[in-house]
Coordinates of all heavy atoms in Angstrom, one line a residue:
M1 N 0.8 -1.2 0.0 CA 0.0 0.0 0.0 C 0.9 1.2 0.0 O 0.6 2.2 -0.7 CB -1.0 -0.1 1.2 CG -1.9 1.0 1.2 SD -3.0 1.0 -0.2 CE -4.3 2.0 0.3
K2 N 1.9 1.3 0.8 CA 2.8 2.4 0.9 C 3.4 2.7 -0.5 O 3.6 3.9 -0.9 CB 3.9 2.1 1.9 CG 4.9 3.2 2.0 CD 6.0 2.8 3.0 CE 7.1 3.9 3.0 NZ 8.2 3.5 3.9
T3 N 3.8 1.6 -1.3 CA 4.3 1.8 -2.6 C 3.4 2.6 -3.5 O 3.8 3.4 -4.3 CB 4.7 0.4 -3.2 OG1 5.6 -0.2 -2.3 CG2 5.3 0.6 -4.6
Y4 N 2.1 2.2 -3.4 CA 1.2 2.9 -4.3 C 0.9 4.4 -3.9 O 0.6 5.2 -4.7 CB -0.2 2.1 -4.3 CG 0.0 0.8 -5.1 CD1 0.2 -0.4 -4.6 CD2 0.0 0.9 -6.5 CE1 0.4 -1.5 -5.3 CE2 0.1 -0.3 -7.3 CZ 0.3 -1.5 -6.7 OH 0.5 -2.6 -7.4
L5 N 1.0 4.6 -2.6 CA 1.0 6.1 -2.2 C 2.1 6.9 -2.7 O 2.0 8.0 -3.1 CB 0.9 6.1 -0.7 CG -0.4 5.6 0.0 CD1 -0.3 5.7 1.5 CD2 -1.6 6.4 -0.5
I6 N 3.3 6.2 -2.7 CA 4.5 6.9 -3.3 C 4.3 7.1 -4.8 O 4.7 8.1 -5.3 CB 5.8 6.1 -2.9 CG1 6.0 6.2 -1.4 CG2 7.0 6.7 -3.6 CD1 7.1 5.2 -0.9
L7 N 3.8 6.1 -5.4 CA 3.5 6.2 -6.9 C 2.5 7.3 -7.1 O 2.6 8.0 -8.1 CB 3.0 4.9 -7.4 CG 2.7 4.8 -8.9 CD1 4.0 5.2 -9.7 CD2 2.2 3.4 -9.3
L8 N 1.5 7.4 -6.3 CA 0.5 8.5 -6.4 C 1.2 9.9 -6.3 O 0.9 10.8 -7.0 CB -0.6 8.3 -5.4 CG -1.7 9.4 -5.4 CD1 -2.4 9.5 -6.7 CD2 -2.7 9.3 -4.2
L9 N 2.1 10.0 -5.3 CA 2.8 11.2 -5.2 C 3.7 11.5 -6.4 O 3.8 12.6 -6.9 CB 3.7 11.2 -3.9 CG 4.6 12.4 -3.7 CD1 3.7 13.6 -3.5 CD2 5.4 12.2 -2.4
A10 N 4.3 10.5 -7.0 CA 5.0 10.6 -8.2 C 4.1 11.1 -9.4 O 4.5 12.0 -10.1 CB 5.7 9.3 -8.6
I11 N 2.9 10.6 -9.4 CA 2.0 11.0 -10.5 C 1.6 12.5 -10.3 O 1.6 13.3 -11.2 CB 0.7 10.1 -10.5 CG1 1.1 8.7 -11.0 CG2 -0.4 10.7 -11.4 CD1 0.1 7.6 -10.7
V12 N 1.2 12.9 -9.1 CA 0.8 14.2 -8.8 C 1.9 15.2 -9.1 O 1.7 16.2 -9.7 CB 0.3 14.4 -7.3 CG1 0.1 15.8 -6.9 CG2 -1.0 13.6 -7.1
A13 N 3.2 14.9 -8.6 CA 4.3 15.7 -8.9 C 4.5 15.9 -10.4 O 4.8 17.0 -10.9 CB 5.5 15.2 -8.2
E14 N 4.4 14.8 -11.2 CA 4.6 14.9 -12.6 C 3.5 15.7 -13.3 O 3.8 16.5 -14.2 CB 4.7 13.5 -13.2 CG 5.0 13.4 -14.6 CD 3.8 13.4 -15.5 OE1 2.7 13.0 -15.1 OE2 4.0 13.9 -16.7
V15 N 2.3 15.6 -12.8 CA 1.2 16.4 -13.4 C 1.4 17.9 -13.1 O 1.2 18.7 -14.0 CB -0.1 15.8 -12.9 CG1 -1.3 16.8 -13.3 CG2 -0.4 14.4 -13.5
V16 N 1.8 18.2 -11.8 CA 2.0 19.6 -11.5 C 3.2 20.1 -12.3 O 3.1 21.2 -12.9 CB 2.3 19.7 -10.0 CG1 2.9 21.1 -9.6 CG2 1.1 19.4 -9.2
A17 N 4.2 19.4 -12.5 CA 5.4 19.8 -13.3 C 5.0 20.0 -14.7 O 5.4 21.0 -15.3 CB 6.5 18.8 -13.1
T18 N 4.3 19.1 -15.3 CA 3.9 19.2 -16.7 C 3.0 20.4 -16.9 O 3.1 21.1 -17.9 CB 3.2 17.9 -17.2 OG1 4.1 16.9 -17.0 CG2 2.8 18.0 -18.7
T19 N 2.0 20.7 -16.0 CA 1.2 21.8 -16.1 C 2.0 23.1 -16.0 O 1.7 24.0 -16.7 CB 0.1 21.7 -15.0 OG1 -0.6 20.5 -15.1 CG2 -0.9 22.9 -15.1
A20 N 2.9 23.1 -15.1 CA 3.8 24.3 -14.9 C 4.7 24.5 -16.1 O 5.1 25.6 -16.4 CB 4.6 24.2 -13.6
L21 N 5.0 23.4 -16.9 CA 5.8 23.5 -18.0 C 5.2 24.5 -19.1 O 5.8 25.3 -19.6 CB 6.1 22.2 -18.6 CG 7.0 22.0 -19.8 CD1 8.4 22.5 -19.3 CD2 7.1 20.6 -20.2
K22 N 3.9 24.3 -19.2 CA 3.2 25.3 -20.1 C 3.2 26.7 -19.6 O 3.5 27.6 -20.3 CB 1.7 24.8 -20.4 CG 1.0 25.8 -21.3 CD -0.2 25.2 -21.9 CE -1.0 26.1 -22.8 NZ -0.3 26.7 -23.9
A23 N 3.0 26.8 -18.3 CA 3.0 28.2 -17.7 C 4.3 28.8 -17.7 O 4.5 30.0 -17.5 CB 2.4 28.0 -16.3
S24 N 5.4 28.0 -17.8 CA 6.8 28.6 -17.7 C 7.1 29.4 -19.0 O 8.1 30.1 -19.0 CB 7.8 27.5 -17.5 OG 8.0 26.8 -18.7
E25 N 6.3 29.2 -20.0 CA 6.6 29.9 -21.3 C 8.0 29.8 -21.8 O 8.8 30.8 -21.8 CB 6.1 31.4 -21.2 CG 4.6 31.5 -20.9 CD 4.2 33.0 -20.8 OE1 4.9 33.9 -21.0 OE2 3.0 33.1 -20.4
N26 N 8.4 28.5 -22.0 CA 9.7 28.2 -22.5 C 10.8 28.6 -21.5 O 11.9 29.1 -21.8 CB 10.0 28.8 -23.9 CG 9.2 28.3 -24.9 OD1 8.8 27.1 -24.9 ND2 8.8 29.1 -25.9
F27 N 10.5 28.4 -20.2 CA 11.4 28.7 -19.1 C 11.8 30.2 -19.0 O 12.9 30.6 -18.6 CB 12.7 27.9 -19.1 CG 12.4 26.4 -18.9 CD1 12.3 25.5 -19.9 CD2 12.2 26.0 -17.6 CE1 12.0 24.2 -19.7 CE2 11.9 24.6 -17.3 CZ 11.8 23.7 -18.4
T28 N 10.9 31.1 -19.4 CA 11.1 32.5 -19.3 C 10.5 33.1 -18.1 O 10.7 34.2 -17.7 CB 10.6 33.3 -20.5 OG1 9.2 33.0 -20.6 CG2 11.3 32.8 -21.8
R29 N 9.6 32.3 -17.4 CA 9.0 32.7 -16.1 C 9.6 31.9 -15.0 O 9.5 30.7 -15.0 CB 7.5 32.6 -16.2 CG 6.9 33.4 -17.3 CD 5.4 33.4 -17.4 NE 4.7 33.7 -16.2 CZ 3.7 33.1 -15.7 NH1 3.1 32.2 -16.4 NH2 3.1 33.5 -14.5
L30 N 10.1 32.6 -14.0 CA 10.9 32.0 -12.9 C 10.1 31.0 -12.1 O 10.5 29.8 -11.9 CB 11.5 33.0 -12.0 CG 12.4 32.5 -10.8 CD1 13.6 31.7 -11.4 CD2 12.8 33.6 -10.0
I31 N 9.0 31.4 -11.5 CA 8.3 30.5 -10.6 C 7.8 29.2 -11.2 O 8.0 28.1 -10.7 CB 7.1 31.3 -9.9 CG1 7.7 32.5 -9.1 CG2 6.3 30.4 -9.0 CD1 8.6 32.1 -8.0
P32 N 7.1 29.3 -12.4 CA 6.7 28.1 -13.0 C 7.9 27.2 -13.4 O 7.8 26.0 -13.4 CB 5.9 28.6 -14.3 CG 5.4 29.9 -13.9 CD 6.5 30.5 -13.1
S33 N 9.0 27.8 -13.8 CA 10.2 27.1 -14.2 C 10.7 26.3 -13.0 O 11.1 25.1 -13.1 CB 11.2 28.0 -14.7 OG 10.8 28.6 -15.9
L34 N 10.7 26.9 -11.8 CA 11.2 26.3 -10.6 C 10.2 25.1 -10.2 O 10.7 24.0 -9.8 CB 11.3 27.3 -9.5 CG 12.4 28.3 -9.6 CD1 12.3 29.3 -8.4 CD2 13.7 27.7 -9.6
I35 N 8.9 25.3 -10.4 CA 8.0 24.3 -10.2 C 8.2 23.1 -11.1 O 8.1 21.9 -10.6 CB 6.5 24.8 -10.3 CG1 6.3 25.8 -9.2 CG2 5.5 23.6 -10.3 CD1 4.9 26.6 -9.3
V36 N 8.6 23.3 -12.3 CA 8.8 22.3 -13.3 C 10.0 21.4 -12.8 O 10.0 20.2 -12.7 CB 9.1 22.8 -14.7 CG1 9.7 21.7 -15.6 CG2 7.9 23.5 -15.3
V37 N 11.1 22.1 -12.5 CA 12.3 21.4 -12.0 C 12.1 20.6 -10.8 O 12.4 19.4 -10.6 CB 13.5 22.3 -11.9 CG1 14.7 21.7 -11.3 CG2 13.9 23.0 -13.3
L38 N 11.5 21.2 -9.8 CA 11.2 20.6 -8.5 C 10.2 19.4 -8.7 O 10.4 18.3 -8.2 CB 10.6 21.6 -7.5 CG 10.3 21.0 -6.1 CD1 11.5 20.5 -5.4 CD2 9.6 22.1 -5.3
G39 N 9.1 19.7 -9.5 CA 8.1 18.6 -9.7 C 8.7 17.4 -10.4 O 8.4 16.3 -9.9
Y40 N 9.5 17.6 -11.4 CA 10.0 16.4 -12.0 C 11.0 15.7 -11.2 O 11.2 14.5 -11.2 CB 10.7 16.8 -13.4 CG 9.6 17.0 -14.5 CD1 9.7 18.1 -15.3 CD2 8.6 16.0 -14.8 CE1 8.7 18.3 -16.3 CE2 7.7 16.2 -15.8 CZ 7.8 17.4 -16.5 OH 6.8 17.6 -17.5
G41 N 11.8 16.5 -10.4 CA 12.7 15.9 -9.4 C 12.0 15.0 -8.4 O 12.4 13.8 -8.2
V42 N 10.9 15.5 -7.8 CA 10.1 14.7 -6.9 C 9.5 13.5 -7.6 O 9.5 12.4 -7.1 CB 9.0 15.6 -6.3 CG1 8.0 14.8 -5.5 CG2 9.6 16.6 -5.3
A43 N 8.9 13.7 -8.8 CA 8.3 12.7 -9.6 C 9.2 11.5 -9.8 O 8.9 10.3 -9.6 CB 7.7 13.2 -10.9
F44 N 10.4 11.8 -10.4 CA 11.4 10.7 -10.7 C 11.9 10.1 -9.4 O 12.2 8.8 -9.4 CB 12.5 11.2 -11.6 CG 12.0 11.4 -13.0 CD1 12.0 12.7 -13.6 CD2 11.5 10.4 -13.8 CE1 11.5 12.9 -14.9 CE2 11.0 10.6 -15.1 CZ 11.1 11.8 -15.6
T45 N 12.1 10.8 -8.4 CA 12.6 10.3 -7.1 C 11.6 9.3 -6.6 O 11.9 8.1 -6.2 CB 12.9 11.4 -6.1 OG1 13.9 12.2 -6.6 CG2 13.4 10.8 -4.8
C46 N 10.3 9.7 -6.5 CA 9.3 8.8 -6.0 C 9.1 7.6 -6.9 O 8.9 6.5 -6.4 CB 7.9 9.6 -5.8 SG 7.9 10.8 -4.5
L47 N 9.1 7.8 -8.2 CA 9.0 6.7 -9.1 C 10.1 5.7 -8.9 O 9.9 4.5 -8.9 CB 9.0 7.2 -10.5 CG 8.8 6.1 -11.6 CD1 7.4 5.4 -11.5 CD2 8.9 6.7 -13.0
S48 N 11.3 6.2 -8.6 CA 12.4 5.2 -8.4 C 12.2 4.4 -7.1 O 12.6 3.2 -7.1 CB 13.8 6.0 -8.4 OG 13.9 6.8 -7.2
F49 N 11.6 5.0 -6.1 CA 11.4 4.3 -4.9 C 10.4 3.2 -5.1 O 10.5 2.1 -4.5 CB 10.9 5.2 -3.8 CG 11.9 6.1 -3.2 CD1 11.6 7.4 -2.9 CD2 13.2 5.7 -3.0 CE1 12.5 8.3 -2.3 CE2 14.2 6.5 -2.4 CZ 13.8 7.8 -2.1
T50 N 9.4 3.4 -6.0 CA 8.4 2.4 -6.2 C 9.0 1.2 -6.9 O 8.4 0.1 -6.8 CB 7.2 2.9 -7.0 OG1 7.6 3.3 -8.3 CG2 6.6 4.1 -6.4
L51 N 10.1 1.4 -7.7 CA 10.7 0.3 -8.4 C 11.4 -0.7 -7.5 O 11.8 -1.8 -8.0 CB 11.6 0.9 -9.5 CG 11.0 1.8 -10.5 CD1 12.0 2.3 -11.5 CD2 9.9 1.0 -11.2
K52 N 11.5 -0.4 -6.2 CA 12.0 -1.4 -5.3 C 11.1 -2.5 -5.1 O 11.5 -3.7 -4.8 CB 12.4 -0.7 -4.0 CG 13.5 0.3 -4.0 CD 13.7 0.9 -2.6 CE 14.8 1.9 -2.7 NZ 15.0 2.5 -1.4
T53 N 9.8 -2.3 -5.3 CA 8.8 -3.3 -5.0 C 7.9 -3.6 -6.2 O 7.4 -4.8 -6.3 CB 7.9 -3.0 -3.8 OG1 7.3 -1.8 -4.0 CG2 8.7 -3.0 -2.5
L54 N 7.7 -2.7 -7.1 CA 6.8 -2.9 -8.3 C 7.7 -3.2 -9.5 O 8.7 -2.6 -9.7 CB 6.0 -1.6 -8.5 CG 4.9 -1.3 -7.6 CD1 4.2 0.0 -8.0 CD2 3.8 -2.4 -7.5
P55 N 7.2 -4.0 -10.4 CA 7.9 -4.2 -11.6 C 7.9 -2.9 -12.4 O 7.0 -2.2 -12.4 CB 7.1 -5.3 -12.3 CG 6.3 -6.0 -11.3 CD 6.0 -4.9 -10.3
L56 N 9.0 -2.7 -13.2 CA 9.1 -1.5 -14.0 C 7.9 -1.3 -14.9 O 7.4 -0.2 -15.0 CB 10.4 -1.6 -14.8 CG 10.7 -0.5 -15.8 CD1 10.8 0.9 -15.1 CD2 11.9 -0.8 -16.6
G57 N 7.5 -2.3 -15.6 CA 6.4 -2.1 -16.6 C 5.1 -1.7 -15.9 O 4.4 -0.9 -16.4
V58 N 4.8 -2.3 -14.7 CA 3.6 -2.0 -14.0 C 3.7 -0.5 -13.5 O 2.7 0.3 -13.7 CB 3.4 -3.0 -12.9 CG1 2.3 -2.5 -12.0 CG2 3.1 -4.4 -13.4
A59 N 4.7 -0.2 -12.8 CA 4.9 1.1 -12.2 C 4.8 2.2 -13.4 O 4.1 3.2 -13.2 CB 6.2 1.3 -11.5
Y60 N 5.5 2.0 -14.5 CA 5.5 3.0 -15.6 C 4.2 3.1 -16.2 O 3.8 4.2 -16.6 CB 6.7 2.7 -16.6 CG 6.8 3.8 -17.6 CD1 7.4 5.0 -17.2 CD2 6.3 3.6 -18.9 CE1 7.5 6.0 -18.1 CE2 6.5 4.6 -19.8 CZ 7.0 5.8 -19.4 OH 7.1 6.8 -20.3
A61 N 3.5 2.0 -16.4 CA 2.2 2.0 -17.1 C 1.2 2.8 -16.2 O 0.5 3.6 -16.8 CB 1.7 0.6 -17.3
I62 N 1.2 2.6 -14.9 CA 0.3 3.3 -14.1 C 0.7 4.8 -14.0 O -0.1 5.7 -14.2 CB 0.3 2.7 -12.6 CG1 -0.2 1.3 -12.6 CG2 -0.4 3.7 -11.6 CD1 0.0 0.6 -11.3
W63 N 2.0 5.1 -13.9 CA 2.5 6.5 -13.8 C 2.2 7.2 -15.1 O 1.6 8.3 -15.0 CB 4.0 6.4 -13.5 CG 4.7 7.7 -13.4 CD1 4.5 8.6 -12.3 CD2 5.6 8.3 -14.3 NE1 5.3 9.7 -12.5 CE2 6.0 9.6 -13.8 CE3 6.1 7.9 -15.5 CZ2 6.9 10.4 -14.4 CZ3 7.0 8.7 -16.1 CH2 7.4 10.0 -15.6
S64 N 2.5 6.6 -16.2 CA 2.3 7.4 -17.4 C 0.8 7.4 -17.8 O 0.4 8.5 -18.3 CB 3.1 6.8 -18.6 OG 2.7 5.4 -18.8
G65 N 0.1 6.4 -17.6 CA -1.3 6.4 -18.0 C -2.2 7.3 -17.2 O -2.9 8.1 -17.8
V66 N -2.0 7.3 -15.9 CA -2.8 8.2 -15.1 C -2.3 9.6 -15.2 O -3.1 10.5 -15.3 CB -2.7 7.8 -13.6 CG1 -3.4 8.8 -12.7 CG2 -3.3 6.4 -13.4
G67 N -1.0 9.8 -15.4 CA -0.5 11.1 -15.6 C -1.0 11.7 -16.9 O -1.4 12.9 -16.9
T68 N -1.0 11.0 -18.0 CA -1.5 11.4 -19.2 C -3.0 11.8 -19.2 O -3.4 12.9 -19.7 CB -1.2 10.4 -20.3 OG1 0.1 10.1 -20.4 CG2 -1.8 10.8 -21.7
A69 N -3.8 11.0 -18.5 CA -5.2 11.3 -18.4 C -5.4 12.5 -17.6 O -6.2 13.4 -18.0 CB -5.9 10.1 -17.8
L70 N -4.7 12.7 -16.5 CA -4.9 13.9 -15.7 C -4.4 15.2 -16.4 O -5.1 16.2 -16.4 CB -4.1 13.8 -14.4 CG -4.7 12.8 -13.4 CD1 -3.8 12.6 -12.2 CD2 -6.1 13.2 -13.0
V71 N -3.3 15.1 -17.2 CA -2.8 16.3 -17.9 C -3.8 16.7 -19.0 O -4.1 17.8 -19.2 CB -1.4 16.0 -18.5 CG1 -1.0 17.1 -19.5 CG2 -0.3 16.0 -17.3
A72 N -4.4 15.6 -19.7 CA -5.4 15.9 -20.7 C -6.6 16.6 -20.1 O -7.1 17.5 -20.7 CB -5.8 14.6 -21.5
L73 N -7.0 16.1 -18.9 CA -8.1 16.7 -18.2 C -7.8 18.2 -17.8 O -8.7 19.0 -18.0 CB -8.5 15.9 -17.0 CG -9.7 16.3 -16.2 CD1 -11.0 16.1 -17.0 CD2 -9.8 15.4 -14.9
I74 N -6.7 18.4 -17.2 CA -6.3 19.8 -16.8 C -6.2 20.7 -18.1 O -6.6 21.8 -18.0 CB -5.0 19.7 -16.0 CG1 -5.2 19.1 -14.7 CG2 -4.4 21.1 -15.9 CD1 -4.0 18.8 -13.9
G75 N -5.6 20.1 -19.1 CA -5.5 20.9 -20.4 C -6.9 21.3 -20.9 O -7.1 22.5 -21.3
G76 N -7.9 20.5 -20.7 CA -9.2 20.8 -21.2 C -9.9 21.8 -20.2 O -10.5 22.7 -20.7
L77 N -9.8 21.6 -18.9 CA -10.5 22.4 -18.0 C -9.8 23.7 -17.7 O -10.5 24.8 -17.7 CB -10.6 21.6 -16.6 CG -11.5 20.4 -16.7 CD1 -11.4 19.7 -15.3 CD2 -12.9 20.7 -17.0
Y78 N -8.5 23.7 -17.6 CA -7.8 24.9 -17.2 C -7.3 25.7 -18.4 O -7.5 27.0 -18.4 CB -6.6 24.6 -16.3 CG -5.9 25.8 -15.8 CD1 -6.4 26.5 -14.7 CD2 -4.6 26.2 -16.3 CE1 -5.7 27.6 -14.2 CE2 -3.9 27.3 -15.8 CZ -4.5 28.0 -14.7 OH -3.8 29.1 -14.2
Y79 N -6.8 25.1 -19.4 CA -6.3 25.8 -20.5 C -7.3 25.8 -21.7 O -6.9 26.4 -22.8 CB -4.9 25.2 -21.0 CG -3.8 25.4 -20.1 CD1 -3.2 24.3 -19.4 CD2 -3.2 26.6 -19.9 CE1 -2.2 24.5 -18.5 CE2 -2.2 26.9 -19.0 CZ -1.7 25.8 -18.3 OH -0.6 26.0 -17.5
K80 N -8.5 25.3 -21.5 CA -9.5 25.3 -22.5 C -9.1 24.6 -23.8 O -9.4 25.1 -24.9 CB -10.0 26.7 -22.8 CG -10.4 27.4 -21.5 CD -11.7 26.8 -20.9 CE -12.1 27.6 -19.7 NZ -12.5 26.8 -18.6
Q81 N -8.2 23.6 -23.7 CA -7.8 22.9 -24.9 C -8.8 21.8 -25.2 O -9.3 21.2 -24.2 CB -6.4 22.3 -24.7 CG -5.3 23.4 -24.4 CD -4.0 22.8 -24.0 OE1 -3.9 21.7 -23.5 NE2 -3.0 23.6 -24.2
S82 N -9.0 21.5 -26.4 CA -9.9 20.4 -26.7 C -9.1 19.3 -27.5 O -8.1 19.5 -28.1 CB -11.0 20.8 -27.6 OG -10.6 21.4 -28.9
L83 N -9.6 18.1 -27.3 CA -9.0 16.9 -28.0 C -9.9 16.6 -29.2 O -11.0 16.2 -29.0 CB -8.9 15.7 -27.1 CG -7.9 15.8 -25.9 CD1 -8.0 14.6 -25.0 CD2 -6.5 16.0 -26.4
D84 N -9.3 16.9 -30.4 CA -10.1 16.5 -31.6 C -9.8 15.1 -31.9 O -9.0 14.4 -31.3 CB -9.8 17.4 -32.7 CG -8.3 17.5 -33.1 OD1 -7.5 16.7 -32.5 OD2 -7.9 18.3 -33.9
L85 N -10.5 14.5 -32.9 CA -10.4 13.1 -33.3 C -9.0 12.8 -33.6 O -8.5 11.7 -33.2 CB -11.4 12.8 -34.4 CG -11.4 11.3 -34.8 CD1 -11.8 10.5 -33.6 CD2 -12.4 11.1 -35.9
P86 N -8.3 13.5 -34.5 CA -6.9 13.2 -34.8 C -5.9 13.1 -33.5 O -5.1 12.2 -33.4 CB -6.4 14.3 -35.7 CG -7.7 14.8 -36.4 CD -8.7 14.7 -35.3
A87 N -6.2 14.0 -32.6 CA -5.4 14.0 -31.3 C -5.7 12.7 -30.6 O -4.8 12.1 -30.0 CB -5.7 15.2 -30.5
V88 N -6.9 12.3 -30.5 CA -7.3 11.1 -29.7 C -6.7 9.9 -30.4 O -6.2 8.9 -29.7 CB -8.8 11.0 -29.6 CG1 -9.2 9.7 -29.0 CG2 -9.4 12.1 -28.7
I89 N -6.8 9.8 -31.7 CA -6.4 8.6 -32.5 C -4.8 8.5 -32.4 O -4.3 7.4 -32.2 CB -6.8 8.7 -34.0 CG1 -8.3 8.5 -34.0 CG2 -6.1 7.7 -34.8 CD1 -8.9 8.8 -35.4
A90 N -4.1 9.6 -32.4 CA -2.7 9.6 -32.4 C -2.1 9.5 -31.0 O -0.9 9.3 -30.9 CB -2.1 10.9 -33.1
S91 N -2.9 9.6 -30.0 CA -2.4 9.5 -28.6 C -2.0 8.1 -28.4 O -2.6 7.1 -28.7 CB -3.5 9.9 -27.6 OG -3.8 11.2 -27.8
P92 N -0.8 8.0 -27.7 CA -0.3 6.6 -27.3 C -1.2 5.9 -26.3 O -1.8 6.4 -25.6 CB 1.1 6.9 -26.8 CG 1.2 8.3 -26.5 CD 0.1 9.0 -27.2

């Protein structure tokens, strides 16, 4: 159970970092840029801890799948981005 909580923290940190990446405007804004660096640092550190007990494929599938879904949801709600059919079809 502890492993999955750490994985959840990794997902949240990655989603925050990815969301801040857009707000950083190509790393020209300091605060969002710092959030990106810190968020990815936390995300990868937490993900590495989960690999002590979870298989790599399982951990990565959960991390990337849930993260992708959340980023797409945030993109739609916060940035008013829409997913058209070509984007949905081409999504991994």
Side-chain angles (χ1 to χ4, degrees):
M1 186 62 162
K2 179 182 173 185
T3 300
Y4 287 100
L5 290 176
I6 295 171
L7 183 56
L8 178 62
L9 180 58
I11 293 166
V12 169
E14 187 267 335
V15 168
V16 168
T18 301
T19 303
L21 188 59
K22 177 158 178 61
S24 76
E25 296 178 11
N26 295 324
F27 292 101
T28 60
R29 297 182 58 216
L30 180 62
I31 299 301
S33 298
L34 292 174
I35 293 171
V36 170
V37 173
L38 180 65
Y40 283 129
V42 170
F44 286 116
T45 299
C46 290
L47 183 61
S48 72
F49 287 141
T50 67
L51 298 179
K52 292 179 181 178
T53 55
L54 289 178
L56 174 64
V58 171
Y60 187 73
I62 294 169
W63 181 70
S64 62
V66 173
T68 299
L70 288 174
V71 168
L73 183 65
I74 291 169
L77 295 175
Y78 185 75
Y79 290 112
K80 306 296 184 217
Q81 298 171 338
S82 62
L83 293 176
D84 55 7
L85 186 59
V88 172
I89 291 172
S91 295

